Amino acid sequence: MRAAKTFLIFIAAMASALLIVLLPQRLAFDEGESYTFFCGDTSADCRIITVDKNASLYKLALKDVCGESTLYPSLDVQSFLQKVNGEIIFTEELSDSVNYYCKADLEYSVALYGEQINLHICVKQQGVTVASPIIFGGY
């Protein structure tokens, strides 16, 4: 009986240690309507994996995550920038969107036009995509 109790305590301790190791792998953003992971070494070999829910669980199983993105139906850009301590470095206006390239307190980054960029916000009529470091694969 004592051996079984010791074994259960050992298993509980191991599970707790595993959770402590895995929990810090949080998502870069609050989960939106869908969540995308960019996996690979560069944008040239980037695999794009999109999930509809439970993104944090999917992230645990992925290797070589080099960026993350999520889609919101709407977003107050200025409030969002304050939340991530972000600063707009440059803006790009296209026929169907406005794109903000920013520096923020986020894990991923990429050199773009001589600047280190780690937050890309794409505002369209259909919704707002945020990504770190940038949106790979089109937007």
Side-chain angles (χ1 to χ4, degrees):
M1 182 70 156
R2 183 169 169 91
K5 188 175 182 180
T6 302
F7 179 73
L8 289 175
I9 290 171
F10 174 76
I11 294 298
M14 294 305 293
S16 297
L18 184 60
L19 285 175
I20 289 170
V21 170
L22 297 178
L23 284 179
Q25 295 186 359
R26 292 185 295 229
L27 299 175
F29 308 108
D30 291 337
E31 200 168 333
E33 292 180 344
S34 62
Y35 206 92
T36 299
F37 298 98
F38 306 113
C39 301
D41 294 330
T42 65
S43 62
D45 76 342
C46 189
R47 291 183 338 272
I48 299 173
I49 300 164
T50 301
V51 299
D52 291 329
K53 56 185 172 182
N54 299 319
S56 56
L57 293 177
Y58 281 94
K59 186 175 182 182
L60 294 174
L62 296 174
K63 292 183 181 180
D64 302 325
V65 175
C66 63
E68 300 177 35
S69 174
T70 194
L71 173 65
Y72 300 116
S74 64
L75 181 73
D76 179 332
V77 172
Q78 291 305 319
S79 295
F80 182 79
L81 286 171
Q82 287 179 343
K83 182 178 175 182
V84 296
N85 195 28
E87 169 191 3
I88 298 171
I89 303 303
F90 62 91
T91 303
E92 176 184 57
E93 292 188 38
L94 303 174
S95 63
D96 67 341
S97 64
V98 177
N99 292 274
Y100 302 98
Y101 295 87
C102 314
K103 290 183 182 179
D105 290 340
L106 295 166
E107 175 183 354
Y108 312 104
S109 71
V110 64
L112 195 61
Y113 303 119
E115 297 280 353
Q116 283 301 118
I117 300 297
N118 63 356
L119 173 62
H120 179 182
I121 303 170
C122 177
V123 180
K124 289 185 170 185
Q125 187 174 5
Q126 305 92 322
V128 180
T129 301
V130 297
S132 182
I134 62 172
I135 302 167
F136 295 117
Y139 46 90

